[in-house]
Amino acid sequence: PEHNVWIWPTHLLAWAILIAVRVLAIKHCSWGVHVPFKKQLLRYCPLFSVTGICTTQLCYRCAIAWNNESLTVESARLVYLLLLLDCTVAYIWRKHHESLHRLIFQPAEIDRFWSDVLHPIETFPLLVCLLGRPTVGFLWVGVVVKECLAARFFRLFWDCCDWTRSQSIKWFLTCCWLFYWIQGWVTFFQQGNSLSLASVDVSAAYVGLRSHQPVVAGLLLAFYTYAGPLYWQLAYVVRFALPKEIESHVASSLACFRLGFAFLPMTFCATVCFLLQSHLFIWTVFTPKLLYLAMFHVVFIPVLISWGAMRV
């Protein structure tokens, strides 16, 4: 069963790891250390917000196990509000952190791993944990840690190589993007999805809803289904932002490469479906893949454009 005795220790362990990571991140960052005690409370706001989210999500899971519909809806809506608060707090926290105003590719920035944990993008996995099954929470805690470690590794590699030319930067960022693209789809399949419409978890579309609301339900379902690729691509945009004087030289070529690489599978599937439309194998294998890819780009491109417009 979904809510057996082993699920609850897993939940508690996952949230404990997440809270511990945030505590360590705050401890390793210098902002707010030498201010009065009352003002230091602002420094720990990300910890307070994530603790509230963890507690409320546990209440939400308990309400589901007890079949209490009213408490389930109210606790889910409270989690939505706390997620918005956590994203806002993380944004403000980063603005006050002195070391985050440096360039990303700077050798002296040794605590970048911990500052990555306190980014607004890290609120998105908490939303996925709410929308998904109970077992999804532990998976996404590992995904968050893996992404931060991967970003730290790539930056250390960059610092060791000391690349400064535009061509070198382009190749380096291309390799990073390919890694993040692959990891996004790895997370997609780890979450239990497949290129079959039967694997879509429709229950994620109705978390916190009392009635069917097509727009809200569609957005929740899309965000949950494509949570892996969305998270890794948004994380790439955040982690590997370039200084303005370098970005103008490499941004256009990188954008063309990413766009072509992303649309190539969909173009191939569409061509095969059109040429072999009378074959039964096409409708059982290629068509679901085409639908998944098309829907992903419908969701991904507006989100990426919006995030790029207000990139922190």
Side-chain angles (χ1 to χ4, degrees):
E2 184 175 327
H3 293 281
N4 58 36
V5 67
W6 299 107
I7 292 295
W8 300 108
T10 304
H11 268 301
L12 294 174
L13 179 60
W15 295 124
I17 292 174
L18 186 61
I19 293 174
V21 168
R22 286 221 175 179
V23 171
L24 292 174
I26 293 174
K27 290 292 185 182
H28 279 77
C29 295
S30 59
W31 176 76
V33 176
H34 303 293
V35 298
F37 174 75
K38 292 183 178 180
K39 292 186 177 180
Q40 276 204 28
L41 293 177
L42 296 175
R43 186 184 180 212
Y44 290 93
C45 281
L47 178 61
F48 299 149
S49 61
V50 76
T51 303
I53 291 172
C54 296
T55 305
T56 313
Q57 287 212 29
L58 286 174
C59 294
Y60 168 75
R61 297 298 175 185
C62 291
I64 294 178
W66 298 335
N67 294 321
N68 190 329
E69 182 180 355
S70 177
L71 181 59
T72 300
V73 174
E74 296 302 327
S75 57
R77 292 179 177 179
L78 180 58
V79 174
Y80 287 137
L81 293 177
L82 291 175
L83 288 171
L84 181 61
L85 176 64
D86 182 72
C87 185
T88 306
V89 165
Y91 177 82
I92 297 174
W93 197 96
R94 285 178 64 86
K95 287 299 182 182
H96 285 80
H97 194 327
E98 297 177 354
S99 65
L100 298 181
H101 293 287
R102 303 173 184 172
L103 298 180
I104 286 180
F105 300 119
Q106 186 166 345
E109 198 173 351
I110 60 175
D111 290 331
R112 184 68 189 182
F113 168 80
W114 298 110
S115 62
D116 285 345
V117 176
L118 291 167
H119 196 281
I121 193 65
E122 302 304 334
T123 305
F124 184 71
L126 301 179
L127 172 63
V128 180
C129 293
L130 172 67
L131 300 178
R133 303 289 182 179
T135 53
V136 171
F138 201 76
L139 166 68
W140 273 93
V141 171
V143 169
V144 169
V145 175
K146 179 172 68 172
E147 190 279 323
C148 292
L149 288 174
R152 181 61 184 156
F153 169 78
F154 281 121
R155 276 189 288 265
L156 285 174
F157 183 72
W158 174 273
D159 295 339
C160 293
C161 295
D162 193 22
W163 290 339
T164 55
R165 294 184 302 139
S166 297
Q167 189 70 17
S168 301
I169 294 174
K170 183 175 68 174
W171 282 109
F172 174 78
L173 293 180
T174 299
C175 294
C176 293
W177 182 83
L178 284 174
F179 175 82
Y180 271 64
W181 178 264
I182 293 172
Q183 288 300 315
W185 289 104
V186 167
T187 306
F188 173 83
F189 290 110
Q190 284 179 332
Q191 197 171 291
N193 298 309
S194 66
L195 297 179
S196 172
L197 298 179
S199 65
V200 177
D201 189 0
V202 184
S203 63
Y206 298 96
V207 175
L209 300 181
R210 295 187 183 275
S211 60
H212 178 60
Q213 301 178 19
V215 177
V216 178
L219 288 175
L220 292 177
L221 182 60
F223 285 149
Y224 176 73
T225 303
Y226 299 105
L230 280 175
Y231 172 73
W232 281 90
Q233 287 302 302
L234 290 176
Y236 172 82
V237 173
V238 169
R239 309 298 190 218
F240 299 99
L242 287 172
K244 292 183 179 180
E245 61 271 14
I246 301 177
E247 189 172 9
S248 59
H249 297 286
V250 299
S252 58
S253 58
L254 283 174
C256 292
F257 171 78
R258 296 170 199 160
L259 192 63
F261 189 89
F263 277 95
L264 183 62
M266 189 170 65
T267 304
F268 174 76
C269 288
T271 304
V272 171
C273 290
F274 177 75
L275 295 177
L276 303 175
Q277 54 185 300
S278 60
H279 200 289
L280 182 62
F281 184 74
I282 293 299
W283 299 104
T284 57
V285 177
F286 283 93
T287 303
K289 180 179 177 65
L290 178 62
L291 291 175
Y292 265 95
L293 291 175
M295 187 60 192
F296 168 70
H297 287 93
V298 169
V299 175
F300 173 67
I301 292 178
V303 170
L304 190 61
I305 292 174
S306 302
W307 187 269
M310 57 180 182
R311 189 174 65 190
V312 294

